[in-house]
Amino acid sequence: MSAVGTVRMHRPDPAPADELQHCGRATLAVRRPAPTRVAVAVIGDVDALNARELGRYVEGHTHLSKQLVLDLR
């Protein structure tokens, strides 16, 4: 009998909720104010060098959320 499981094809595995990431001249942080809401804070500058990494970070933390709050301080 073969093993049965789920494979994530388009989205990365969910990242830990308390992850802080430095990305070029920006710092990315996440918090979950409610079970279906995620808030991602970007402190610093978003530019061509770190925009794609910001997208990956947001996608990695919004896997089950229905609402996204993006704080671009």
Side-chain angles (χ1 to χ4, degrees):
M1 184 188 287
S2 62
V4 177
T6 302
V7 176
R8 297 178 70 82
M9 298 295 290
H10 301 288
R11 298 177 80 178
D13 288 333
D18 59 351
E19 183 180 343
L20 183 70
Q21 181 175 333
H22 299 284
C23 181
R25 298 186 322 184
T27 301
L28 311 175
V30 65
R31 64 184 177 87
R32 297 194 181 281
T36 59
R37 183 180 308 142
V38 65
V40 175
V42 181
I43 303 160
D45 297 327
V46 176
D47 54 22
L49 297 175
N50 61 8
R52 186 167 295 189
E53 190 62 31
L54 169 61
R56 286 188 195 115
Y57 185 85
V58 169
E59 186 176 18
H61 286 86
T62 57
H63 62 287
L64 296 176
S65 301
K66 295 182 180 190
Q67 296 177 337
L68 169 66
V69 176
L70 189 57
D71 180 3
L72 299 171
R73 287 185 243 174

